[in-house]
Amino acid sequence: MNGFGAKRRAGSPADGASSDDGRKRKGNGALDRKKKVTTTNGKNANTSKPRPSNVTAFGTDTSNYDADPGTYDTEANSTYAKRIYEQLRKDRILPPKWPSDPGNPASKGAMAKYRETSKSYRDRARASLMAAGLIDDPDKPKRLEDAIDFKGICEDMCPNFEKITRITEFDVQHAEKDSQTSFPVISKMVKKLARSAAGQEAPLPMDVRSTAALRRTLDYLVDDLLEDEDNLPILHGYLWDRTRAIRRDFIFHSSMGAEEMKDQVYCLETIARFHVTSLHLLSRPDVTPEDFSEQQEIEQLGKALLSLMHAYDDSKAQGLVCENETEFRAYQLLFSANQPNILDNVQQEWANPRLWKDSDEIRTAVSLVEALQSTTDLHGPMGTAPHLAVSGAYNTYFKIVENPEVSYTMACFAEIHFGQLRRSMLKTLRRAYWRPKVLARDITPALLNTFLRFDTEDEAIDFVEEHGMSWVPLEDAPDDEYRQYLRTTDGLSEADKRFRNYPTNRNPLQPSIIQWIRKNQWRDHYKSIFRALLWPAFKHHS
């Protein structure tokens, strides 16, 4: 956690700030994105079709369990969904009727019977749809170009068969239960992440949510369930799983139209904001949940950004303009700052010159990436060489983030690299005072923290000690830890231990492995490593 969190708390995405300009806007504004789907008089604002009376914002109202099971909801679905339902109706394959009170444990027997009936219905439905050529037979190999288009047609937050399975297996989370009775509430259930496994049957169209349903589900998770950042520590694990399930459902859609692409871009942008905001808010020791993993959060953030970049490319191929594209490409650039030649690569990949000329976000991200580079940080396929062009402008990085014009979300992305930047500062300081005649006594926690930019001096003290360096008590105040000074002659940190044996004392002129790599500028990379490792043998035989 750093000092910028407190400064930008008023501009948090969870309390209604826009990441574009830091200004307040009306409405909830959770996770810093604009809400695009609204309903008026029973109509969806994005379509002209009225919603049927038995359809809620998330599809069929599942509270009416005695409704006619043979009624298919074709009004709120696509042409593909109509073809699916018409084929099943033609073959007289109707879904079974829900028990009267499915969430009540007293209905356990009825739910078990309903589950078996649903399995039979699914087998018949699969056979009918394969015979009609509406879905592929998973047991028959087929070339990709010959595959049948597949789309999700489920308009609920959770497919019916998963609801049945999870209720009978007692796999219903707290957020999906009634707060008073602790019974499962069908309308609150959200599809969970299901990883691919051997022997797992291929999903049916009704097992995958439509893009519109995915968008409504995400709005429910953020606006209705999360509501405020104070609920994030409790709900993070649940939201982390459900947002991954949303991203996975998009994979099953083999093709998307313009409106479907807009839904996908909207969801991926919101999920990326969720992950990076969680990284910032949950980095405080007093609020970090037990199941929170920074590494896993960064991993999912990277995957969401990568999917989003592909979605932008697909949207461009359809002639769509995504209003937040430059903003998120800037985030992707900053997130990937440690990749070799990242600035050259993105200039080649981003064919649109306006991304560089007209975007303040891109220019800010480029400045941050350039300020982050250091000769102490190693990059490359083998992680054994620094960037060829570095600035070492450590303070510049923090000054850019401190600028009020930098958005909250950009600051959260920049915070991901704070640890790396602080380690570089510590290495530079240690090299500068490696062999002093007398230890410098003015490197106190307060002075050091003016560069490291922690919230408190205690955090700076802990950071230094975690990296293998120690403090020397002042003779006049041996018990005052804030007046102690840094022992710069301590051993290397864990990150540098792999270089501790180079150079050795057997030959004072022997160059270190790092000096070899820098000297050859990757030209004789493998040769230099070989000679550095086997230098004594070369010397003995020469």
Side-chain angles (χ1 to χ4, degrees), residues 2-238:
N2 61 85
F4 307 119
K7 293 180 181 179
R8 298 181 179 273
R9 185 61 51 80
S12 168
D15 61 14
S18 169
S19 70
D20 296 329
D21 53 16
R23 295 173 295 181
K24 290 281 185 176
R25 57 183 173 85
K26 297 181 180 180
N28 187 324
L31 289 185
D32 193 16
R33 82 280 182 276
K34 299 178 181 178
K35 192 171 182 179
K36 301 295 180 63
V37 176
T38 57
T39 57
T40 55
N41 300 327
K43 294 184 179 181
N44 189 319
N46 290 341
T47 63
S48 59
K49 296 181 180 180
R51 182 181 292 126
S53 58
N54 69 325
V55 176
T56 66
F58 302 102
T60 304
D61 185 359
T62 51
S63 62
N64 184 12
Y65 304 114
D66 294 325
D68 181 7
T71 301
Y72 290 102
D73 179 17
T74 59
E75 292 292 337
N77 288 300
S78 63
T79 303
Y80 178 79
K82 291 182 180 180
R83 293 172 58 196
I84 296 291
Y85 292 137
E86 288 173 359
Q87 175 61 33
L88 296 179
R89 187 182 295 107
K90 177 182 177 182
D91 290 345
R92 304 184 63 82
I93 301 175
L94 305 178
K97 183 182 295 186
W98 275 87
S100 59
D101 194 5
N104 194 328
S107 304
K108 180 179 178 180
M111 286 298 295
K113 182 178 179 181
Y114 179 49
R115 181 180 181 181
E116 295 302 320
T117 307
S118 297
K119 288 182 179 179
S120 175
Y121 159 74
R122 290 171 57 83
D123 292 339
R124 295 172 58 205
R126 188 184 301 276
S128 173
L129 296 177
M130 287 191 300
L134 294 176
I135 62 173
D136 284 317
D137 186 346
D139 297 328
K140 294 181 179 180
K142 183 180 292 186
R143 295 190 303 176
L144 182 61
E145 56 267 23
D146 298 331
I148 301 173
D149 282 345
F150 184 95
K151 290 180 180 291
I153 62 174
C154 174
E155 295 298 326
D156 290 342
M157 295 192 295
C158 184
N160 275 344
F161 189 68
E162 180 177 323
K163 294 177 185 177
I164 304 164
T165 303
R166 289 173 53 200
I167 290 176
T168 55
E169 294 179 353
F170 303 100
D171 185 16
V172 181
Q173 300 299 313
H174 178 75
E176 302 170 332
K177 296 180 179 180
D178 186 278
S179 58
Q180 297 180 351
T181 63
S182 296
F183 292 171
V185 179
I186 305 299
S187 59
K188 290 184 177 181
M189 295 183 68
V190 181
K191 184 177 181 179
K192 65 179 293 187
L193 176 66
R195 295 175 176 84
S196 301
Q200 188 179 50
E201 65 177 6
L204 293 170
M206 54 281 292
D207 294 331
V208 179
R209 291 164 291 184
S210 67
T211 58
L214 291 169
R215 181 170 183 157
R216 293 194 299 268
T217 301
L218 187 58
D219 283 339
Y220 163 77
L221 292 174
V222 175
D223 296 335
D224 299 335
L225 188 60
L226 178 60
E227 291 187 316
D228 188 79
E229 68 179 54
D230 294 336
N231 300 323
L232 185 60
I234 300 174
L235 293 172
H236 175 266
Y238 179 80

Side-chain angles (χ1 to χ4, degrees), residues 435-475:
R435 291 182 178 179
K437 294 182 179 179
V438 179
L439 283 177
R441 299 193 176 190
D442 57 344
I443 308 179
T444 61
L447 176 64
L448 187 60
N449 199 36
T450 59
F451 298 96
L452 298 181
R453 305 293 187 93
F454 282 104
D455 287 342
T456 64
E457 295 178 17
D458 291 329
E459 292 178 339
I461 294 174
D462 294 340
F463 181 81
V464 169
E465 292 176 349
E466 288 174 359
H467 285 76
M469 303 183 75
S470 60
W471 301 89
V472 180
L474 196 65
E475 292 83 352

Side-chain angles (χ1 to χ4, degrees), residues 375-376 378 386 431 513-522:
T375 56
T376 62
L378 306 181
R431 288 183 179 182
I513 191 171
I514 299 302
Q515 291 171 332
W516 270 101
I517 295 174
R518 289 177 184 169
K519 179 180 178 181
N520 289 278
Q521 298 288 345
W522 290 89

